[in-house]
Amino acid sequence: MNFFKARIILLFAAVVLLLGPGCSRFLSNSFQEEFVESDETYQRALTQIEYPNVEDIDEGDTIGTQMPATVSSPGTPEYWDLSLQEAVKMALQSSKVLGDVGGVALNTPAGVHTKYDAAITEADPRYGVPGALSAYDTTLSASTYFEKNDKALNNVFFGGGTRLLRQDAMVVQAQLTKRAMTGTEFTLRDYIDYDANNSPGNQFPHAYQNNIEMEFRHPLMQGGGISFNQIAGPSGTPGVINGVIIARINTDISLGEFEIAVRDMVSDVENAYWDLYFGYRDLDAKIMARDSALETWRRIHALYVNGRRGGEAEKEAQAREQYFRYQAEVENALSGRLLNGTHTNNGSQGGTFQSNHGVYIAERRLRMLMGLPINDGRLIRPADEPSLAKVEFNWEETLVESLERRPEIRRQRWQIKKRELELEANKNFLKPELDLIGRYRWRGFGKNFLAEGSNVGEFDGALNSLFDGNLQEWQMGIELSVPLGKRQAHAAMRQAELMLARDRAILHEQERAIVQSLSNAISDVDRAYAVLQTTFNRRHAARQEVAAVEAAYESDNATLDLLLEAQRRQAEADGSYYRSLVEYSLAIKNVQFEKGSLLAYNNIYLAEGGWPEKAYMDAAERERLRGHVRKIADAPEYTGALSQGVYPQLLTPGEVPTEPMQPTPQTVEPTPEPVTDNFTPPPVPGVTQGTSGNPEFIQAIDFDEGPGAEKSIQNLEGTVRENESEVYFTPQSMVPPGPESGLQPNASAAGSSALTATEPQEGAVRLPTQNQPEAGVPLSVVPDTTPTLRSARQNQTLKFPLKEHSGSQDPFKNYRNAGPRWEPVPIPEAKQRNLNDFSGEVKRFPLKESN
């Protein structure tokens, strides 16, 4: 019978071995020959590109995206007036990928920062905190084996008195292993052995052995101690340091990188917001220049048709060329060109302004950063105006704050702390391995596992014998292991020292780079404000020049070249003014970026998620058991703390600092005297009044000042007639359109023809304005009134006055669409004393002696 069983088993094994490598025999011969003999079949089967079968996730903002707005798009777009605060808030709520500029998600997806990065680092099973804590989890292991032995022995002694041994055996083993924070390993083991054999020397035909033992292994030198195990973990390899503290530092480093990514995203959202603002302003300026060129072309063309003087062919062609030049610029400014916009690390860490794209491109880029659908039928329009307040930063306080609050510095300091702990842990591997081992065992033996009945003998049950406690053993010993060369331990020490020196050098270089960037940012604020003043005066002078040259051209005292050149300079001055305005806003934002307070500047703070509830309970219990530590006089304080404490992220206005600072001495400005209605201002150098003697109208402004002029900013406010309507942009043909085109000449202004607007034609694009919202367009939500650094006016001096009933700080806001006209600017009597020019800030012209 046994021979038959053996043959069946051998036959089954042979079938399995033959079927494994010989599966091709089950294929049809024709199909197999086709694969072997046809190279074309191999090429077709092996060179095909397969598409992965993954679950498609559509969040509704990709496949269903509407057609983008273009230059030829018909109708008037629906504007969405959006504030900067709302844009940042929506970006933080909607964006899963933080600040993808330049197509990083497509080109190098591994280098993209997302909102999941910190959690991924925390949950890393190898280097995360749970992975490090898993080394101290209790391990349960169990095994059960059954044996059937039937063998012939040459020696009767080994067979227990027989040469033909037949045996049935079973071994059941279970144990619990736990590693403590001190490095000690505890083991609790239960061992059950069943043996039934035909040995003639056996007392029982079958017997059970049941052993329970406790064992510990405690490292006395290498690998011992709470400090080492918290830093290095249970690893016994030099250089492999991954304890709980190191894992937590890895999480802190990832949190620093996450904060850097959030800060960069907020900076890029603000960059894109002001890029879009400049796109609208630049489009506005180019439309004004185009309309001025169109009106000039109309006049020259009318003279050209009638054959009158001034309508020569070359003049008509010159005026037409300037019109089409600005028409092309209007189209580029509306649609935009595919160029990189302002983003972090493009010259400066916060972002250097790049005014090289138009409205549509900038609007889609802002949507990309905000995590919104790229096209939804609406057109975002900035609702905020750049601030014209002069901001001054204290260098000493800003320098200290930048070196303390920058997340790059905090991240690098955590890296240095990690290297210091690794160096301390690697010193432990220079010690020999000296382990103290102890074991205690209870034994039980019996012919049955559990004896039954009331009259139980000594060896009737193994479990009964175990609980009697008559068979007990113990063992105590020491194990020593010393690698004589210790090359690996010394190499780990040397590497740890070099890594620590490297990270310290990187920290110093980072601090130097921050000082350089902060110096550039603060200097750029002063430069941008000075340029803003200059371009403000340039824009005002350009408008005066156009009005004067146009009047001279009408009286045949100026050529057409001078008029076209004056109009061109006016368009450039408008663009330069708005460019400097945006540059100044970005310069202030970049200082906040450099000193690490950009998130607080936007009322944003970061917070970690909570630990499991059991962790708080364990911490409270450990704190209770620790008790109060008695202070010993002249005892050294413990300096091994990993953290210096929590640094406040938000610094709102009115918050009391932890340590009071000495106030910076400031010059107290005298209170101005009240101005009466009959107040006559003193003569201002460089300002010429009208012949009528009315001081409310300025006829000319000289850029030169007397030596006694104060260096203050003039208060120039633009005016426009209340009944003036908006101008609509309609593409024109080669021949200048007549009165029926929607642009009617108006002779109400002396010496010039005003451009008035009728109802918009079909296909016309309405110019965005800041004065009146579009009908049917939802207004922006009122921003939160919580005080922030952005809303605070600390160390700020308002130079440009706020307009009444408008909330805007743009001096030329109300007559942006006035075209080339210029009228005398009325100045209230209460403000006539502040008519000094901007040139006092930058000495560019020789001083004139005051009259």
Side-chain angles (χ1 to χ4, degrees):
M1 186 68 180
N2 292 337
F3 178 74
F4 178 76
K5 290 182 179 179
R7 295 190 62 180
I8 294 297
I9 294 174
L10 290 177
L11 179 62
F12 179 76
V15 170
V16 172
L17 292 177
L18 290 177
L19 289 180
C23 290
S24 60
R25 296 179 179 272
F26 291 93
L27 299 177
S28 61
N29 294 332
S30 60
F31 188 72
Q32 182 179 5
E33 292 176 357
E34 180 182 1
F35 265 81
V36 173
E37 298 177 0
S38 176
D39 294 337
E40 181 180 357
T41 305
Y42 270 112
Q43 294 295 330
R44 185 173 63 254
L46 299 179
T47 60
Q48 291 179 349
I49 299 177
E50 298 181 356
Y51 200 81
N53 182 18
V54 297
E55 182 181 358
D56 294 334
I57 301 177
D58 183 15
E59 298 186 359
D61 58 349
T62 53
I63 297 179
T65 304
Q66 300 183 15
M67 180 178 179
T70 61
V71 176
S72 58
S73 298
T76 302
E78 178 185 358
Y79 291 108
W80 176 15
D81 293 330
L82 183 67
S83 65
L84 178 58
Q85 182 180 2
E86 292 173 334
V88 173
K89 180 179 179 181
M90 296 180 67
L92 293 175
Q93 292 177 345
S94 304
S95 296
K96 297 179 181 179
V97 177
L98 304 178
D100 180 18
V101 292
V104 180
L106 288 176
N107 300 329
T108 55
V112 173
H113 294 282
T114 67
K115 68 177 185 179
Y116 307 105
D117 292 349
I120 290 175
T121 303
E122 174 74 16
D124 193 334
R126 298 172 300 170
Y127 308 110
V129 175
L133 290 175
S134 64
Y136 304 98
D137 292 343
T138 302
T139 303
L140 171 64
S141 58
S143 61
T144 302
Y145 296 98
F146 300 92
E147 271 186 73
K148 173 68 175 179
N149 297 322
D150 190 0
K151 57 184 176 180
L153 301 175
N154 188 34
N155 196 316
V156 179
F157 177 78
F158 290 105
T162 180
R163 295 182 181 275
L164 187 60
L165 179 64
R166 292 183 176 87
Q167 181 184 29
D168 293 330
M170 178 188 68
V171 177
V172 179
Q173 183 175 351
Q175 69 178 18
L176 292 174
T177 305
K178 169 70 176 179
R179 182 179 295 273
M181 189 61 70
T182 58
T184 308
E185 187 177 26
F186 297 95
T187 303
L188 177 62
R189 184 180 301 111
D190 184 16
Y191 180 85
I192 301 175
D193 180 15
Y194 169 77
D195 186 10
N197 58 66
N198 60 346
S199 176
N202 292 337
Q203 182 180 359
F204 306 110
H206 55 79
Y208 287 88
Q209 291 190 25
N210 189 4
N211 304 332
I212 296 180
E213 62 184 24
M214 294 182 296
E215 180 181 345
F216 73 91
R217 176 183 290 268
H218 176 70
L220 298 176
M221 301 185 71
Q222 183 183 136
I226 296 178
S227 177
F228 171 80
N229 284 272
Q230 286 181 340
I231 298 173
S235 172
T237 304
V240 181
I241 310 299
N242 188 32
V244 178
I245 295 179
I246 298 298
R248 176 58 201 180
I249 291 179
N250 291 333
T251 302
D252 290 326
I253 292 175
S254 67
L255 290 176
E257 294 176 351
F258 177 74
E259 182 178 351
I260 293 173
V262 173
R263 179 206 60 188
D264 292 346
M265 185 191 70
V266 172
S267 177
D268 284 330
V269 168
E270 187 165 352
N271 291 334
Y273 186 87
W274 294 124
D275 281 353
L276 180 58
Y277 171 86
F278 176 78
Y280 275 107
R281 290 295 199 176
D282 186 58
L283 173 63
D284 219 359
K286 286 180 169 53
I287 289 178
M288 291 174 59
R290 191 278 318 274
D291 292 343
S292 299
L294 176 60
E295 180 63 22
T296 303
W297 179 27
R298 284 206 195 104
R299 298 177 185 176
I300 303 301
H301 185 74
L303 298 176
Y304 172 75
V305 173
N306 297 326
R308 298 178 59 183
R309 180 185 175 185
E312 291 79 3
E314 69 278 6
K315 294 182 179 180
E316 191 274 340
Q318 187 178 7
R320 175 160 35 96
E321 185 274 336
Q322 177 140 319
Y323 165 74
F324 284 113
R325 179 203 304 178
Y326 284 120
Q327 175 67 14
E329 293 186 2
V330 166
E331 293 169 351
N332 285 329
L334 178 62
S335 177
R337 302 177 63 188
L338 298 178
L339 300 172
N340 291 329
T342 308
H343 59 87
T344 55
N345 300 315
N346 68 326
S348 64
Q349 294 187 2
T352 302
F353 178 60
Q354 295 181 352
S355 55
N356 51 15
H357 48 278
V359 173
Y360 291 158
I361 295 296
E363 196 263 351
R364 285 191 286 267
R365 181 171 179 268
L366 179 60
R367 285 177 173 271
M368 182 71 180
L369 292 172
M370 292 173 58
L372 301 178
I374 305 302
N375 306 308
D376 62 357
R378 297 182 298 174
L379 194 62
I380 296 178
R381 183 169 58 183
D384 292 344
E385 289 285 340
S387 175
L388 297 177
K390 185 176 182 180
V391 182
E392 298 176 353
F393 296 94
N394 183 278
W395 169 251
E396 289 77 11
E397 296 179 0
T398 305
L399 178 62
V400 173
E401 187 177 3
S402 64
L403 295 177
E404 290 292 334
R405 298 193 63 175
R406 283 292 291 267
E408 294 90 347
I409 295 297
R410 187 173 72 253
R411 177 187 61 181
Q412 188 62 24
R413 287 178 178 174
W414 276 121
Q415 187 72 17
I416 291 177
K417 190 62 181 180
K418 176 182 176 181
R419 299 304 182 191
E420 292 175 351
L421 295 176
E422 289 178 349
L423 177 61
E424 180 183 352
N426 280 312
K427 292 180 182 178
N428 186 271
F429 289 105
L430 296 176
K431 301 177 182 180
E433 295 184 17
L434 182 62
D435 296 343
L436 176 64
I437 302 174
R439 183 181 299 112
Y440 200 90
R441 181 184 301 117
W442 287 268
R443 286 187 178 272
F445 176 78
K447 62 179 180 180
N448 297 314
F449 182 73
L450 179 64
E452 298 180 355
S454 58
N455 188 12
V456 178
E458 182 180 5
F459 298 113
D460 289 346
L463 190 60
N464 303 76
S465 175
L466 176 69
F467 287 141
D468 289 341
N470 297 327
L471 304 176
Q472 298 184 21
E473 302 173 348
W474 64 269
Q475 181 183 12
M476 186 71 69
I478 295 178
E479 287 187 3
L480 176 65
S481 175
V482 183
L484 299 181
K486 296 183 180 180
R487 295 184 180 181
Q488 190 177 22
H490 284 293
M493 277 288 299
R494 181 60 177 167
Q495 185 191 34
E497 293 173 350
L498 293 176
M499 295 294 289
L500 177 58
R502 176 181 180 273
D503 288 334
R504 286 176 175 173
I506 291 176
L507 175 63
H508 178 65
E509 192 65 22
Q510 287 179 346
E511 291 176 345
R512 296 179 70 249
I514 288 176
V515 173
Q516 179 198 16
S517 301
L518 182 64
S519 302
N520 293 337
I522 291 182
S523 176
D524 193 58
V525 169
D526 188 69
R527 176 206 65 82
Y529 191 74
V531 172
L532 176 61
Q533 297 172 353
T534 305
T535 55
F536 181 84
N537 277 334
R538 175 191 175 189
R539 187 187 186 204
H540 185 72
R543 290 180 178 273
Q544 289 180 320
E545 180 189 11
V546 169
V549 174
E550 190 176 49
Y553 178 76
E554 292 293 337
S555 60
D556 292 337
N557 291 327
T559 62
L560 179 63
D561 294 340
L562 294 178
L563 178 59
L564 297 179
E565 183 66 17
Q567 293 175 354
R568 183 187 61 81
R569 284 199 293 266
Q570 177 187 348
E572 293 179 355
D574 289 342
S576 298
Y577 169 71
Y578 290 117
R579 182 180 295 107
S580 61
L581 190 62
V582 173
E583 286 180 353
Y584 180 61
S585 297
L586 292 181
I588 297 176
K589 183 267 300 180
N590 287 343
V591 174
Q592 302 291 342
F593 183 98
E594 296 295 343
K595 69 189 189 76
S597 59
L598 182 61
L599 295 182
Y601 186 62
N602 289 276
N603 200 20
I604 301 171
Y605 69 98
L606 306 177
E608 288 190 65
W611 288 85
E613 184 178 358
K614 186 64 168 57
Y616 295 99
M617 298 173 60
D618 293 345
E621 180 65 18
R622 289 180 181 275
E623 187 68 21
R624 186 187 65 82
L625 295 176
R626 180 180 300 177
H628 298 284
V629 180
R630 185 177 61 180
K631 294 184 179 180
I632 303 177
D634 300 332
E637 296 182 357
Y638 177 70
T639 58
L642 300 179
S643 174
Q644 296 182 359
V646 179
Y647 194 88
Q649 299 185 53
L650 283 181
L651 296 177
T652 57
E655 181 179 353
V656 180
T658 305
E659 298 181 1
M661 302 180 181
Q662 296 295 334
T664 304
Q666 298 181 356
T667 305
V668 179
E669 298 182 358
T671 304
E673 300 179 0
V675 180
T676 60
D677 295 338
N678 299 327
F679 172 76
T680 302
V684 181
V687 178
T688 304
Q689 298 180 356
T691 57
S692 62
N694 189 354
E696 295 184 359
F697 297 95
I698 300 176
Q699 302 299 330
I701 295 182
D702 197 346
F703 283 90
D704 299 327
E705 293 185 3
E710 298 180 359
K711 297 181 179 180
S712 59
I713 300 176
Q714 62 180 356
N715 297 328
L716 296 179
E717 297 186 353
T719 59
V720 66
R721 291 186 297 274
E722 297 180 355
N723 57 356
E724 183 178 4
S725 57
E726 298 177 347
V727 179
Y728 292 85
F729 159 53
T730 304
Q732 305 295 334
S733 59
M734 288 292 295
V735 178
E740 67 277 6
S741 63
L743 293 174
Q744 300 289 346
N746 186 5
S748 59
S752 63
S753 297
L755 301 180
T756 59
T758 59
E759 294 297 326
Q761 296 181 353
E762 183 179 358
V765 179
R766 187 175 185 182
L767 298 182
T769 59
Q770 300 292 341
N771 296 333
Q772 299 177 355
E774 293 289 340
V777 179
L779 298 178
S780 58
V781 182
V782 178
D784 189 10
T785 58
T786 304
T788 63
L789 287 181
R790 180 179 290 279
S791 61
R793 296 187 178 181
Q794 301 172 350
N795 298 329
Q796 295 186 4
T797 304
L798 290 178
K799 297 298 184 180
F800 289 88
L802 295 175
K803 283 190 175 183
E804 298 179 357
H805 309 293
S806 64
S808 173
Q809 293 176 318
D810 181 10
F812 287 98
K813 174 181 177 181
N814 285 337
Y815 71 107
R816 294 183 299 112
N817 301 327
R821 299 190 311 277
W822 180 84
E823 296 178 357
V825 182
I827 302 297
E829 293 183 359
K831 301 179 181 180
Q832 290 179 2
R833 67 171 70 186
N834 298 325
L835 293 180
N836 296 326
D837 193 72
F838 287 144
S839 57
E841 296 290 336
V842 182
K843 298 297 184 182
R844 298 183 180 178
F845 301 95
L847 297 178
K848 283 187 179 181
E849 296 182 359
S850 58
N851 297 329

